[in-house]
Amino acid sequence: MDARTSDTLDRGVAIAARQWRPERCDRVALVLQGGGALGAYQAGVYEALHEAGLEPDWLCGVSIGAINSAIIAGNPPERRLENLKAFWNRITSRKVWHYTPDGDVYRKARNLTSSMMTATLGQPGFFTPHQVTPWFSPAGAQTATSYYDTSPLRQTLLELVDFDLINARKVHFAVGAVNVLTGNFLYFDNVKEVIEPEHVMASGALPPALPMVRIGTDHFWDGGIVSNTPLQHLLDQDDRLNSLVFQVDLFSARGVLPRDIQEVMARHKDIVYSSRTRYNTDVYRRMNDLKTSLYQALAKVPEELLTEQERATRDHLADLPEIAILQLIYQQTAYEGHAKDYEFSATSMREHWQSGLDDTRRTLKRRDWLEMPPQGGGVVIRDVHRERDY
């Protein structure tokens, strides 16, 4: 056994020893929204969970959230952080400026330069521009339906993700995508099918920049064009497991009134890709409350007055799961504009990562937020940044 293998095993034992779960928590879930370059924030969130020994056993993502989820699920706990760092360092390795003066105006200029470099050159280990623009490509040509080629991403995934481990189902893993022909949104789930790099790439194939991905006889685009927040997939599970859910959003539904055209474009993107997260969770909570009320009503009815179907309904509703959802949302800085999701500079990546790390460390200090709702309490949603339940 070499030194590196020994060190890896030692770290694995140490991580396993410090893993924990809140009382009555059957599942820790990490739900990751799409958002391109902002996805480094999610990596910071995971680092804080990793530090605390709170490893997720349920991962679901869309777009960049799918890639982060694949790296986490496709590595043993002791390798996850290492390979997340390898991915983000690789795709942000291009230098923009050697020096940026202090001040928002200079950061805005630098970020604009960085996003223009992404648009013209692509990103290392992620995507490269086609040699022929789709506008001058004949219909049916490989270059006719997108601006970039994502072959580098496939190679990166193969290097950093163990797909055999994902398909061993030690961690529940799912990514969302959209069928190009039908417009139907679906999840590729390792419980139902064998996951390959193409499933992850399909979840991040945002048109018209990135090409659709063929799986079998169907073609798929980025799930974010229909629903950018994959929380619904977890809520739809009928497994009755009490869950602590870390929902990590990269676009905020709430914002300030725009004052120039760049702020208009940025605000528009936030609203589109926030995907009505709060509405969806509120609807689920109301449905859960109705189910609880129905169970309580049926429990009061004498057994002989119930039909067979009513008894089955009562028994099914007798053990509804408790779910605590902690919603973390990336908070945009003053110098970020509408191109924040394709501004892949290393400086911004480190800032996004640190922001996720800091937000989650603060959240984990609130142990009362990590507690399961009381038995029969249904769903509790905690808005971390507003620091109160709603």
Side-chain angles (χ1 to χ4, degrees):
M1 180 182 298
D2 60 28
R4 180 177 177 180
T5 302
S6 177
D7 180 62
T8 297
L9 290 174
D10 290 343
R11 282 184 288 146
V13 170
I15 290 167
R18 71 169 188 261
Q19 285 182 355
W20 62 279
R21 293 287 186 273
E23 186 177 354
R24 295 175 40 252
C25 176
D26 303 315
R27 170 170 59 199
V28 174
L30 190 56
V31 177
L32 304 180
Q33 195 179 73
L38 302 177
Y41 177 84
Q42 298 170 341
V45 171
Y46 172 74
E47 181 175 0
L49 297 178
H50 180 80
E51 285 179 347
L54 197 59
E55 293 289 341
D57 40 37
W58 206 100
L59 285 147
C60 190
V62 167
S63 198
I64 196 67
I67 296 174
N68 283 331
S69 294
I71 295 172
I72 296 169
N75 282 281
E78 65 273 11
R79 295 290 304 277
R80 291 171 175 174
L81 192 58
E82 172 188 341
N83 281 340
L84 274 175
K85 290 180 178 178
F87 172 75
W88 284 98
N89 286 331
R90 179 178 301 186
I91 68 171
T92 62
S93 60
R94 181 188 297 119
K95 295 292 185 183
V96 181
W97 292 351
H98 290 289
Y99 172 72
T100 303
D102 193 22
D104 286 357
V105 64
Y106 301 111
R107 277 304 302 272
K108 283 184 177 180
R110 185 185 183 282
N111 286 8
L112 177 61
T113 302
S114 175
S115 60
M116 290 176 62
M117 292 175 72
T118 296
T120 56
L121 302 175
Q123 287 302 128
F126 202 162
F127 55 89
T128 57
H130 289 308
Q131 292 185 350
V132 180
T133 174
W135 293 102
F136 296 119
S137 298
Q142 276 193 324
T143 57
T145 57
S146 68
Y147 291 97
Y148 303 96
D149 172 25
T150 51
S151 297
L153 174 59
R154 188 177 194 280
Q155 184 60 39
T156 296
L157 290 171
L158 288 172
E159 290 180 26
L160 299 179
V161 177
D162 182 348
F163 285 91
D164 288 339
L165 182 58
I166 289 179
N167 292 310
R169 302 178 183 177
K170 294 182 178 179
V171 173
H172 193 146
F173 170 83
V175 294
V178 175
N179 188 302
V180 177
L181 290 182
T182 66
N184 292 335
F185 183 95
L186 56 82
Y187 287 97
F188 299 118
D189 192 312
N190 68 345
V191 170
K192 299 177 181 178
E193 58 201 304
V194 174
I195 301 298
E196 298 177 341
E198 284 72 21
H199 295 97
V200 180
M201 295 170 66
S203 183
L206 183 64
L210 305 184
M212 65 187 89
V213 176
R214 180 174 177 172
I215 298 175
T217 59
D218 293 316
H219 294 78
F220 295 91
W221 271 332
D222 192 309
I225 64 179
V226 171
S227 177
N228 197 37
T229 304
L231 177 67
Q232 194 64 43
H233 188 54
L234 183 142
L235 299 181
D236 287 340
Q237 303 299 306
D238 192 24
D239 49 22
R240 305 188 185 189
L241 297 177
N242 293 345
S243 301
L244 174 62
V245 183
F246 292 87
Q247 177 186 315
V248 189
D249 293 352
L250 302 178
F251 296 97
S252 176
R254 294 179 177 271
V256 298
L257 192 68
R259 295 178 59 84
D260 60 33
I261 193 61
Q262 289 194 27
E263 290 183 2
V264 167
M265 295 169 68
R267 187 74 197 110
H268 171 259
K269 188 175 288 186
D270 281 345
I271 293 171
V272 168
Y273 288 114
S274 64
S275 289
R276 305 174 74 193
T277 297
R278 186 162 295 156
Y279 172 79
N280 291 335
T281 51
D282 282 349
V283 167
Y284 180 83
R285 183 172 58 180
R286 287 196 294 269
M287 289 294 294
N288 192 276
D289 291 344
L290 288 172
K291 289 178 181 179
T292 300
S293 297
L294 176 58
Y295 168 74
Q296 292 171 347
L298 290 172
K300 294 177 181 178
V301 179
E303 188 77 17
E304 63 273 12
L305 298 180
L306 291 173
T307 67
E308 185 176 342
Q309 182 177 356
E310 288 168 342
R311 291 192 193 97
T313 300
R314 179 199 61 191
D315 295 343
H316 179 74
L317 297 176
D319 188 27
L320 292 175
E322 286 81 50
I323 300 177
I325 301 173
L326 278 66
Q327 185 178 14
L328 294 107
I329 308 174
Y330 173 69
Q331 305 297 298
Q332 180 175 333
T333 58
Y335 46 77
E336 287 184 298
H338 72 278
K340 60 188 178 182
D341 56 331
Y342 61 95
E343 194 280 288
F344 282 93
S345 69
T347 299
S348 294
M349 180 273 288
R350 288 190 291 268
E351 290 178 349
H352 297 151
W353 188 304
Q354 189 64 45
S355 180
L357 180 61
D358 292 342
D359 284 349
T360 311
R361 281 173 173 169
R362 285 194 294 268
T363 299
L364 294 177
K365 289 180 180 178
R366 291 290 303 268
R367 289 304 175 101
D368 56 317
W369 284 359
L370 305 181
E371 295 174 358
M372 290 293 97
Q375 195 156 8
V379 181
V380 173
I381 305 164
R382 294 172 175 125
D383 188 329
V384 170
H385 297 282
R386 296 171 69 187
E387 296 190 356
R388 63 183 180 87
D389 295 353
Y390 70 94

